[in-house]
Amino acid sequence: MEKQRENWGSRIGFVLAAAGSAVGLGNIWRFPYLTGENGGSAFILIYLVFVIFIGISVMIAEFSLGRNTGLAAVGAIKTYSDRWTFVGIMGVLSAFLIMGFYPVVGGWALAYIVESFTGLLTETPEAIEDTFVGFITGSFQPVIWMLVFLVLNIVIVAKGIKGGIEKAAKVLMPTLFILLIFIAIRSLTLEGAGAGIEFIFRPDFSEVTGATFLAALGQAFFSLSLGMGAMITYGSYLSKKETLAGNAVIVTALDVGVALLAGIAMFPALFAFGMEPAQGPGLVFVVIPIVFSQMGGIGVLFGIIFFIALAVAALTSSVSLMEVVVAYLIDQRGMLRKKAVYGTGIVMAIMGVLASLSMGVIGPMPVLQVGVFDLFDILSDKIFLGLGGMFIAIITGWVVNKETLRAELTNDGTIEFKLFEVWHFLIKWIIPPAVAIVAVVGIFDIEQTAVMILGLVVVGLLAVFSRKLN
Ligand code: TRP
Protein backbone atom coordinates (compact mmCIF):
# COMPACT_ATOMS: atom_id res chain seq x y z
CA MET A 1 0.00 0.00 0.00
CA GLU A 2 2.47 2.62 -1.15
CA LYS A 3 -0.26 4.98 -2.10
CA GLN A 4 0.50 8.68 -1.79
CA ARG A 5 -1.69 10.22 0.86
CA GLU A 6 -4.27 12.66 -0.41
CA ASN A 7 -3.11 16.24 0.07
CA TRP A 8 -4.84 19.59 0.30
CA GLY A 9 -5.28 21.27 -3.08
CA SER A 10 -3.38 24.38 -2.12
CA ARG A 11 -1.86 26.28 0.76
CA ILE A 12 -4.81 28.57 1.10
CA GLY A 13 -7.04 25.52 0.88
CA PHE A 14 -5.52 24.07 4.01
CA VAL A 15 -5.65 27.28 5.98
CA LEU A 16 -9.27 27.79 5.02
CA ALA A 17 -10.20 24.21 5.76
CA ALA A 18 -8.50 24.27 9.16
CA ALA A 19 -9.99 27.68 9.87
CA GLY A 20 -13.27 26.30 8.56
CA SER A 21 -13.03 23.55 11.14
CA ALA A 22 -12.22 26.00 13.90
CA VAL A 23 -14.71 28.71 12.96
CA GLY A 24 -18.19 27.43 13.49
CA LEU A 25 -21.06 27.39 15.91
CA GLY A 26 -18.44 27.56 18.64
CA ASN A 27 -17.64 31.12 17.65
CA ILE A 28 -20.98 32.53 16.63
CA TRP A 29 -23.46 30.56 18.69
CA ARG A 30 -21.52 29.34 21.70
CA PHE A 31 -18.95 32.05 22.44
CA PRO A 32 -21.47 34.89 22.78
CA TYR A 33 -23.86 32.96 24.98
CA LEU A 34 -21.10 31.66 27.25
CA THR A 35 -19.79 35.20 27.53
CA GLY A 36 -23.29 36.33 28.45
CA GLU A 37 -23.68 33.61 31.07
CA ASN A 38 -20.25 34.11 32.57
CA GLY A 39 -20.34 37.82 33.17
CA GLY A 40 -18.81 39.29 30.03
CA SER A 41 -15.32 40.64 29.62
CA ALA A 42 -13.62 38.76 32.49
CA PHE A 43 -14.62 35.52 30.77
CA ILE A 44 -13.32 36.84 27.45
CA LEU A 45 -9.95 37.74 28.99
CA ILE A 46 -9.49 34.34 30.61
CA TYR A 47 -10.47 32.69 27.33
CA LEU A 48 -7.90 34.78 25.43
CA VAL A 49 -5.15 33.88 27.90
CA PHE A 50 -5.96 30.18 27.43
CA VAL A 51 -6.01 30.54 23.65
CA ILE A 52 -2.61 32.24 23.57
CA PHE A 53 -0.76 30.16 26.14
CA ILE A 54 -2.40 26.79 25.65
CA GLY A 55 -4.43 26.74 22.44
CA ILE A 56 -1.77 27.77 19.92
CA SER A 57 0.79 25.36 21.37
CA VAL A 58 -1.60 22.43 21.36
CA MET A 59 -2.57 23.25 17.78
CA ILE A 60 1.10 23.25 16.74
CA ALA A 61 1.46 19.91 18.53
CA GLU A 62 -1.54 18.42 16.74
CA PHE A 63 -0.37 19.60 13.32
CA SER A 64 3.09 18.16 14.02
CA LEU A 65 1.85 14.74 15.10
CA GLY A 66 -0.46 14.51 12.12
CA ARG A 67 2.03 15.54 9.47
CA ASN A 68 4.92 13.65 11.02
CA THR A 69 3.04 10.35 10.88
CA GLY A 70 0.79 11.03 7.93
CA LEU A 71 -1.96 9.37 9.92
CA ALA A 72 -5.22 10.46 11.52
CA ALA A 73 -5.60 10.82 15.28
CA VAL A 74 -5.58 7.21 16.49
CA GLY A 75 -2.96 5.95 14.05
CA ALA A 76 -0.72 8.95 14.69
CA ILE A 77 -0.64 8.47 18.44
CA LYS A 78 -0.28 4.73 18.10
CA THR A 79 2.84 5.29 15.99
CA TYR A 80 4.56 6.81 19.00
CA SER A 81 3.19 4.65 21.77
CA ASP A 82 0.64 1.91 22.24
CA ARG A 83 0.21 2.98 25.82
CA TRP A 84 -1.34 6.28 24.76
CA THR A 85 -3.56 5.09 21.95
CA PHE A 86 -6.57 5.58 24.19
CA VAL A 87 -6.17 9.32 23.69
CA GLY A 88 -6.97 8.79 20.03
CA ILE A 89 -9.93 6.63 20.97
CA MET A 90 -11.04 9.37 23.38
CA GLY A 91 -10.92 11.72 20.41
CA VAL A 92 -13.15 9.46 18.34
CA LEU A 93 -15.56 9.36 21.26
CA SER A 94 -15.43 13.16 21.58
CA ALA A 95 -16.27 13.45 17.91
CA PHE A 96 -19.38 11.34 18.48
CA LEU A 97 -20.35 13.35 21.55
CA ILE A 98 -20.00 16.70 19.80
CA MET A 99 -21.76 15.36 16.72
CA GLY A 100 -24.55 14.30 19.06
CA PHE A 101 -25.61 17.90 19.57
CA TYR A 102 -23.82 20.01 16.93
CA PRO A 103 -26.15 19.00 14.07
CA VAL A 104 -29.12 19.98 16.23
CA VAL A 105 -27.89 23.57 16.31
CA GLY A 106 -26.80 23.31 12.67
CA GLY A 107 -30.40 22.33 11.94
CA TRP A 108 -31.68 25.40 13.79
CA ALA A 109 -29.49 27.53 11.52
CA LEU A 110 -30.93 25.83 8.42
CA ALA A 111 -34.45 26.31 9.69
CA TYR A 112 -33.75 29.99 10.28
CA ILE A 113 -32.79 30.47 6.65
CA VAL A 114 -36.36 29.52 5.81
CA GLU A 115 -37.85 31.41 8.78
CA SER A 116 -36.03 34.52 7.58
CA PHE A 117 -38.06 34.72 4.45
CA THR A 118 -41.32 33.47 5.85
CA GLY A 119 -41.94 36.44 8.10
CA LEU A 120 -39.83 35.96 11.25
CA LEU A 121 -37.99 39.20 10.59
CA THR A 122 -41.15 41.28 10.48
CA GLU A 123 -42.19 40.27 13.98
CA THR A 124 -41.78 42.11 17.28
CA PRO A 125 -38.79 41.29 19.51
CA GLU A 126 -41.03 39.38 21.94
CA ALA A 127 -42.53 37.33 19.13
CA ILE A 128 -39.05 36.54 17.78
CA GLU A 129 -38.08 35.21 21.18
CA ASP A 130 -41.25 33.12 21.47
CA THR A 131 -40.72 31.73 17.99
CA PHE A 132 -37.30 30.40 18.93
CA VAL A 133 -38.46 28.68 22.11
CA GLY A 134 -41.51 27.30 20.34
CA PHE A 135 -39.35 25.99 17.51
CA ILE A 136 -36.63 24.20 19.46
CA THR A 137 -39.05 22.58 21.91
CA GLY A 138 -41.06 21.15 19.04
CA SER A 139 -40.63 17.49 18.13
CA PHE A 140 -40.98 17.25 14.39
CA GLN A 141 -39.39 20.28 12.73
CA PRO A 142 -36.09 20.53 14.63
CA VAL A 143 -35.51 16.81 14.17
CA ILE A 144 -36.05 17.04 10.42
CA TRP A 145 -33.69 20.01 10.10
CA MET A 146 -31.08 18.22 12.20
CA LEU A 147 -31.28 15.27 9.83
CA VAL A 148 -30.97 17.55 6.79
CA PHE A 149 -27.83 19.04 8.31
CA LEU A 150 -26.42 15.59 9.00
CA VAL A 151 -27.12 14.40 5.47
CA LEU A 152 -25.17 17.39 4.12
CA ASN A 153 -22.25 16.25 6.28
CA ILE A 154 -22.52 12.72 5.02
CA VAL A 155 -22.52 13.85 1.40
CA ILE A 156 -19.45 16.08 1.87
CA VAL A 157 -17.40 13.61 3.90
CA ALA A 158 -18.27 10.76 1.56
CA LYS A 159 -16.66 12.73 -1.28
CA GLY A 160 -13.35 13.01 0.55
CA ILE A 161 -11.51 16.06 1.66
CA LYS A 162 -10.66 17.82 -1.55
CA GLY A 163 -13.92 17.50 -3.38
CA GLY A 164 -16.20 18.75 -0.67
CA ILE A 165 -14.71 20.33 2.39
CA GLU A 166 -12.15 22.52 0.75
CA LYS A 167 -14.42 23.96 -1.92
CA ALA A 168 -17.23 24.83 0.47
CA ALA A 169 -14.84 26.57 2.83
CA LYS A 170 -13.25 28.72 0.17
CA VAL A 171 -16.36 30.65 -0.77
CA LEU A 172 -18.45 30.87 2.33
CA MET A 173 -16.00 31.63 5.11
CA PRO A 174 -15.11 35.04 3.67
CA THR A 175 -18.81 35.80 3.18
CA LEU A 176 -19.52 35.12 6.81
CA PHE A 177 -16.66 37.33 7.91
CA ILE A 178 -17.84 40.29 5.88
CA LEU A 179 -21.39 39.85 7.10
CA LEU A 180 -20.32 39.83 10.73
CA ILE A 181 -18.36 43.03 10.26
CA PHE A 182 -21.44 44.59 8.78
CA ILE A 183 -23.68 43.46 11.65
CA ALA A 184 -21.11 44.63 14.18
CA ILE A 185 -21.13 48.12 12.68
CA ARG A 186 -24.92 48.21 12.74
CA SER A 187 -25.01 46.96 16.28
CA LEU A 188 -22.40 49.43 17.54
CA THR A 189 -24.30 52.36 16.06
CA LEU A 190 -27.62 51.49 17.70
CA GLU A 191 -28.84 53.84 20.39
CA GLY A 192 -27.94 52.41 23.80
CA ALA A 193 -25.12 50.24 22.49
CA GLY A 194 -22.69 51.61 25.08
CA ALA A 195 -23.70 49.24 27.86
CA GLY A 196 -22.94 46.29 25.60
CA ILE A 197 -19.51 47.61 24.71
CA GLU A 198 -18.80 48.02 28.40
CA PHE A 199 -20.02 44.50 29.07
CA ILE A 200 -17.48 42.97 26.71
CA PHE A 201 -14.55 45.35 27.20
CA ARG A 202 -14.50 46.32 30.86
CA PRO A 203 -13.35 43.36 32.97
CA ASP A 204 -15.32 42.63 36.10
CA PHE A 205 -13.82 39.74 38.00
CA SER A 206 -16.39 39.73 40.78
CA GLU A 207 -18.34 36.82 39.31
CA VAL A 208 -15.37 34.68 38.29
CA THR A 209 -15.27 31.19 39.84
CA GLY A 210 -13.51 27.90 39.13
CA ALA A 211 -16.39 27.04 36.84
CA THR A 212 -15.65 30.18 34.80
CA PHE A 213 -12.10 28.99 34.19
CA LEU A 214 -13.26 25.53 33.18
CA ALA A 215 -15.85 27.02 30.83
CA ALA A 216 -13.20 29.30 29.28
CA LEU A 217 -10.75 26.44 28.80
CA GLY A 218 -13.43 24.19 27.33
CA GLN A 219 -14.47 26.97 24.97
CA ALA A 220 -10.85 27.59 23.91
CA PHE A 221 -10.41 23.93 22.97
CA PHE A 222 -13.85 23.63 21.43
CA SER A 223 -13.53 26.75 19.34
CA LEU A 224 -10.05 25.87 18.06
CA SER A 225 -11.10 22.27 17.32
CA LEU A 226 -8.47 20.94 19.69
CA GLY A 227 -8.15 18.10 22.14
CA MET A 228 -9.55 15.27 20.08
CA GLY A 229 -7.32 14.91 17.07
CA ALA A 230 -9.24 16.87 14.46
CA MET A 231 -6.16 18.97 13.80
CA ILE A 232 -3.95 15.86 13.88
CA THR A 233 -6.15 14.47 11.16
CA TYR A 234 -6.11 17.68 9.11
CA GLY A 235 -2.34 17.98 9.63
CA SER A 236 -1.89 14.50 8.21
CA TYR A 237 -3.12 15.78 4.86
CA LEU A 238 -0.68 18.70 4.94
CA SER A 239 2.27 18.83 2.58
CA LYS A 240 5.83 18.76 3.90
CA LYS A 241 6.47 22.23 2.55
CA GLU A 242 4.11 24.12 4.85
CA THR A 243 5.12 25.95 8.01
CA LEU A 244 3.18 24.33 10.80
CA ALA A 245 3.59 27.00 13.46
CA GLY A 246 2.75 29.80 11.05
CA ASN A 247 -0.41 28.03 9.98
CA ALA A 248 -1.42 27.45 13.60
CA VAL A 249 -1.09 31.14 14.37
CA ILE A 250 -3.11 32.16 11.32
CA VAL A 251 -5.89 29.68 12.10
CA THR A 252 -6.02 30.77 15.74
CA ALA A 253 -6.10 34.45 14.84
CA LEU A 254 -8.95 33.92 12.40
CA ASP A 255 -10.88 31.88 14.94
CA VAL A 256 -10.49 34.38 17.76
CA GLY A 257 -11.23 37.22 15.38
CA VAL A 258 -14.55 35.72 14.38
CA ALA A 259 -15.53 34.96 17.98
CA LEU A 260 -14.78 38.51 19.12
CA LEU A 261 -16.55 39.89 16.10
CA ALA A 262 -19.60 37.81 16.94
CA GLY A 263 -19.52 39.22 20.47
CA ILE A 264 -19.21 42.76 19.16
CA ALA A 265 -22.06 42.10 16.76
CA MET A 266 -24.37 40.81 19.46
CA PHE A 267 -23.84 42.49 22.82
CA PRO A 268 -24.27 46.13 21.87
CA ALA A 269 -27.55 45.22 20.16
CA LEU A 270 -28.63 43.06 23.03
CA PHE A 271 -28.19 45.86 25.53
CA ALA A 272 -29.70 48.38 23.16
CA PHE A 273 -32.86 46.29 23.05
CA GLY A 274 -32.86 45.87 26.83
CA MET A 275 -32.40 42.12 26.78
CA GLU A 276 -30.82 39.74 29.26
CA PRO A 277 -27.19 38.76 28.43
CA ALA A 278 -27.44 35.39 30.19
CA GLN A 279 -30.16 33.91 28.04
CA GLY A 280 -28.27 30.82 27.00
CA PRO A 281 -28.22 28.91 23.72
CA GLY A 282 -30.93 31.03 22.12
CA LEU A 283 -28.82 34.17 22.01
CA VAL A 284 -27.76 34.27 18.36
CA PHE A 285 -31.15 33.03 17.16
CA VAL A 286 -32.93 35.82 18.99
CA VAL A 287 -30.61 38.84 18.95
CA ILE A 288 -29.58 38.64 15.30
CA PRO A 289 -33.15 38.36 13.97
CA ILE A 290 -34.13 41.30 16.17
CA VAL A 291 -31.29 43.41 14.75
CA PHE A 292 -32.37 42.54 11.22
CA SER A 293 -36.05 43.07 11.95
CA GLN A 294 -35.26 46.72 12.73
CA MET A 295 -33.92 47.28 9.22
CA GLY A 296 -37.01 46.74 7.13
CA GLY A 297 -36.90 44.91 3.80
CA ILE A 298 -33.14 44.74 3.45
CA GLY A 299 -33.02 43.07 6.88
CA VAL A 300 -34.81 40.05 5.45
CA LEU A 301 -32.11 39.67 2.82
CA PHE A 302 -29.39 39.97 5.45
CA GLY A 303 -31.18 37.43 7.62
CA ILE A 304 -31.22 34.91 4.83
CA ILE A 305 -27.54 35.44 4.00
CA PHE A 306 -26.52 35.37 7.67
CA PHE A 307 -28.17 32.05 8.41
CA ILE A 308 -26.85 30.49 5.20
CA ALA A 309 -23.36 31.58 6.22
CA LEU A 310 -23.90 30.31 9.77
CA ALA A 311 -25.08 26.95 8.49
CA VAL A 312 -22.05 26.69 6.23
CA ALA A 313 -19.66 27.68 9.03
CA ALA A 314 -21.28 24.93 11.08
CA LEU A 315 -20.88 22.48 8.20
CA THR A 316 -17.20 23.14 7.63
CA SER A 317 -16.72 22.40 11.33
CA SER A 318 -18.91 19.36 11.62
CA VAL A 319 -17.32 17.69 8.62
CA SER A 320 -14.00 17.84 10.47
CA LEU A 321 -15.60 16.08 13.41
CA MET A 322 -17.06 13.39 11.23
CA GLU A 323 -13.75 13.08 9.38
CA VAL A 324 -12.00 12.14 12.65
CA VAL A 325 -14.25 9.13 13.05
CA VAL A 326 -14.21 8.23 9.37
CA ALA A 327 -10.43 8.55 9.05
CA TYR A 328 -10.09 6.25 12.07
CA LEU A 329 -12.33 3.63 10.50
CA ILE A 330 -10.45 3.86 7.20
CA ASP A 331 -6.89 4.00 8.56
CA GLN A 332 -7.20 1.61 11.51
CA ARG A 333 -10.12 -0.61 10.65
CA GLY A 334 -9.54 -0.82 6.91
CA MET A 335 -13.07 0.24 6.06
CA LEU A 336 -14.06 1.82 2.77
CA ARG A 337 -14.80 5.54 3.00
CA LYS A 338 -18.44 5.29 1.95
CA LYS A 339 -19.25 2.52 4.38
CA ALA A 340 -17.48 4.31 7.22
CA VAL A 341 -19.41 7.50 6.50
CA TYR A 342 -22.82 5.84 6.38
CA GLY A 343 -22.28 3.83 9.54
CA THR A 344 -21.03 6.86 11.42
CA GLY A 345 -23.92 8.93 10.10
CA ILE A 346 -26.53 6.52 11.39
CA VAL A 347 -25.15 6.53 14.93
CA MET A 348 -24.93 10.32 14.89
CA ALA A 349 -28.50 10.57 13.64
CA ILE A 350 -29.78 8.56 16.59
CA MET A 351 -27.83 10.70 19.03
CA GLY A 352 -29.06 13.85 17.32
CA VAL A 353 -32.71 12.80 17.54
CA LEU A 354 -32.37 12.23 21.27
CA ALA A 355 -30.52 15.53 21.76
CA SER A 356 -33.09 17.45 19.76
CA LEU A 357 -36.02 15.94 21.62
CA SER A 358 -34.35 16.70 24.94
CA MET A 359 -35.10 20.36 24.27
CA GLY A 360 -38.80 19.55 24.47
CA VAL A 361 -40.60 16.28 25.03
CA ILE A 362 -37.88 14.35 26.83
CA GLY A 363 -36.73 16.28 29.85
CA PRO A 364 -33.68 15.91 32.08
CA MET A 365 -32.45 12.41 32.81
CA PRO A 366 -32.64 10.96 36.29
CA VAL A 367 -29.45 11.06 38.40
CA LEU A 368 -27.50 13.04 35.80
CA GLN A 369 -30.12 15.78 36.02
CA VAL A 370 -29.43 17.18 32.58
CA GLY A 371 -30.97 16.54 29.18
CA VAL A 372 -29.22 14.54 26.46
CA PHE A 373 -28.18 17.69 24.60
CA ASP A 374 -26.49 19.13 27.69
CA LEU A 375 -24.98 15.77 28.56
CA PHE A 376 -23.18 15.54 25.21
CA ASP A 377 -22.14 19.17 25.46
CA ILE A 378 -20.77 19.01 29.01
CA LEU A 379 -19.03 15.69 28.54
CA SER A 380 -17.23 16.78 25.41
CA ASP A 381 -16.41 20.32 26.23
CA LYS A 382 -15.76 20.22 29.96
CA ILE A 383 -14.06 16.83 30.19
CA PHE A 384 -13.00 15.10 26.99
CA LEU A 385 -11.48 18.03 25.10
CA GLY A 386 -9.57 19.44 28.06
CA LEU A 387 -8.19 16.09 29.16
CA GLY A 388 -7.59 15.14 25.54
CA GLY A 389 -5.60 18.34 25.04
CA MET A 390 -3.65 17.63 28.19
CA PHE A 391 -2.80 14.11 27.06
CA ILE A 392 -1.80 15.33 23.59
CA ALA A 393 0.54 17.82 25.27
CA ILE A 394 1.98 15.04 27.44
CA ILE A 395 2.48 12.73 24.46
CA THR A 396 4.13 15.51 22.46
CA GLY A 397 6.34 16.69 25.30
CA TRP A 398 7.24 13.40 26.92
CA VAL A 399 6.80 10.59 24.42
CA VAL A 400 7.71 12.01 21.03
CA ASN A 401 11.41 12.57 20.45
CA LYS A 402 12.28 16.25 20.73
CA GLU A 403 14.52 16.19 17.67
CA THR A 404 11.78 14.59 15.60
CA LEU A 405 9.57 17.50 16.55
CA ARG A 406 12.28 20.03 15.78
CA ALA A 407 12.78 18.51 12.35
CA GLU A 408 9.04 18.47 11.71
CA LEU A 409 8.54 22.06 12.78
CA THR A 410 11.50 23.40 10.83
CA ASN A 411 10.78 21.25 7.77
CA ASP A 412 14.06 19.39 8.31
CA GLY A 413 15.97 22.53 9.07
CA THR A 414 14.98 24.36 5.91
CA ILE A 415 12.91 26.99 7.70
CA GLU A 416 13.23 28.68 11.06
CA PHE A 417 11.02 28.23 14.09
CA LYS A 418 12.62 30.58 16.56
CA LEU A 419 10.24 29.83 19.38
CA PHE A 420 10.76 26.07 19.24
CA GLU A 421 12.30 25.87 22.71
CA VAL A 422 9.59 28.05 24.21
CA TRP A 423 6.90 25.97 22.57
CA HIS A 424 8.46 22.71 23.71
CA PHE A 425 8.80 24.00 27.26
CA LEU A 426 5.14 25.04 27.34
CA ILE A 427 3.98 21.72 25.94
CA LYS A 428 6.11 19.68 28.29
CA TRP A 429 6.06 21.55 31.56
CA ILE A 430 3.35 24.18 31.63
CA ILE A 431 0.30 23.01 29.73
CA PRO A 432 -0.26 19.58 31.34
CA PRO A 433 -0.34 20.88 34.95
CA ALA A 434 -2.22 24.04 33.94
CA VAL A 435 -5.01 22.05 32.32
CA ALA A 436 -5.08 19.63 35.25
CA ILE A 437 -5.46 22.48 37.74
CA VAL A 438 -8.27 24.12 35.78
CA ALA A 439 -10.03 20.77 35.47
CA VAL A 440 -9.77 19.97 39.17
CA VAL A 441 -10.83 23.43 40.32
CA GLY A 442 -13.70 23.39 37.85
CA ILE A 443 -14.94 19.97 38.82
CA PHE A 444 -15.47 21.04 42.41
CA ASP A 445 -17.23 24.15 41.31
CA ILE A 446 -19.56 22.95 38.66
CA GLU A 447 -23.22 22.17 39.22
CA GLN A 448 -23.40 18.98 37.16
CA THR A 449 -21.26 16.84 39.44
CA ALA A 450 -22.83 13.56 38.35
CA VAL A 451 -22.00 14.25 34.70
CA MET A 452 -18.42 15.11 35.58
CA ILE A 453 -18.01 11.86 37.51
CA LEU A 454 -19.47 9.88 34.62
CA GLY A 455 -17.03 11.50 32.20
CA LEU A 456 -14.02 10.87 34.38
CA VAL A 457 -15.01 7.24 34.86
CA VAL A 458 -15.25 6.76 31.08
CA VAL A 459 -11.83 8.35 30.53
CA GLY A 460 -10.38 6.22 33.31
CA LEU A 461 -11.81 3.01 31.84
CA LEU A 462 -10.46 3.92 28.42
CA ALA A 463 -7.01 4.55 29.83
CA VAL A 464 -6.99 1.26 31.73
CA PHE A 465 -8.40 -0.96 29.02
CA SER A 466 -6.83 0.82 26.08
CA ARG A 467 -4.61 -2.04 25.05
CA LYS A 468 -7.62 -4.23 24.43
CA LEU A 469 -9.07 -1.54 22.15
CA ASN A 470 -6.21 -1.51 19.72
N1 TRP B 1 -14.40 24.37 16.41
C1 TRP B 1 -15.72 24.14 15.91
C2 TRP B 1 -16.60 25.30 16.31
O1 TRP B 1 -16.13 26.20 16.94
C3 TRP B 1 -16.29 22.84 16.38
C4 TRP B 1 -15.36 21.72 16.10
C5 TRP B 1 -15.01 21.22 14.92
C6 TRP B 1 -14.61 21.03 17.05
N2 TRP B 1 -14.09 20.24 15.07
C7 TRP B 1 -13.83 20.10 16.37
C8 TRP B 1 -14.53 21.12 18.41
C9 TRP B 1 -12.96 19.29 17.03
C10 TRP B 1 -13.67 20.29 19.07
C11 TRP B 1 -12.88 19.38 18.40
O2 TRP B 1 -17.75 25.33 16.01
Side-chain angles (χ1 to χ4, degrees), residues 21-27 98 102 221-226 228 230 317-318 320-321 385:
S21 164
V23 176
L25 295 171
N27 308 60
I98 299 174
Y102 207 89
F221 280 118
F222 186 91
S223 189
L224 294 170
S225 300
L226 297 176
M228 45 84 78
S317 300
S318 54
S320 78
L321 289 158
L385 296 183

Side-chain angles (χ1 to χ4, degrees), residues 235-246:
S236 76
Y237 301 118
L238 193 52
S239 110
K240 291 283 181 196
K241 289 195 224 82
E242 300 290 349
T243 39
L244 297 180

Side-chain angles (χ1 to χ4, degrees), residues 8 28 101-102 116 126 130 149 196 242 248 265 267 315 337 432:
W8 299 98
I28 297 160
F101 71 92
Y102 207 89
S116 294
E126 294 73 34
D130 292 344
F149 184 84
E242 300 290 349
F267 285 105
L315 254 182
R337 179 168 278 270

Side-chain angles (χ1 to χ4, degrees), residues 14-24 102 169 173 225 231 234 251 254 312-320:
F14 171 76
V15 172
L16 284 179
S21 164
V23 176
Y102 207 89
M173 298 315 292
S225 300
M231 292 306 188
Y234 271 30
V251 171
L254 283 172
V312 171
L315 254 182
T316 57
S317 300
S318 54
V319 291
S320 78

Side-chain angles (χ1 to χ4, degrees), residues 82-87 89-90 391 456-470:
D82 264 348
R83 182 70 201 84
W84 291 94
T85 313
F86 78 94
V87 178
I89 307 277
M90 253 176 86
F391 288 136
L456 291 174
V457 169
V458 173
V459 173
L461 287 176
L462 275 178
V464 172
F465 293 107
S466 65
R467 277 165 208 271
K468 296 213 175 60
L469 286 168
N470 303 323

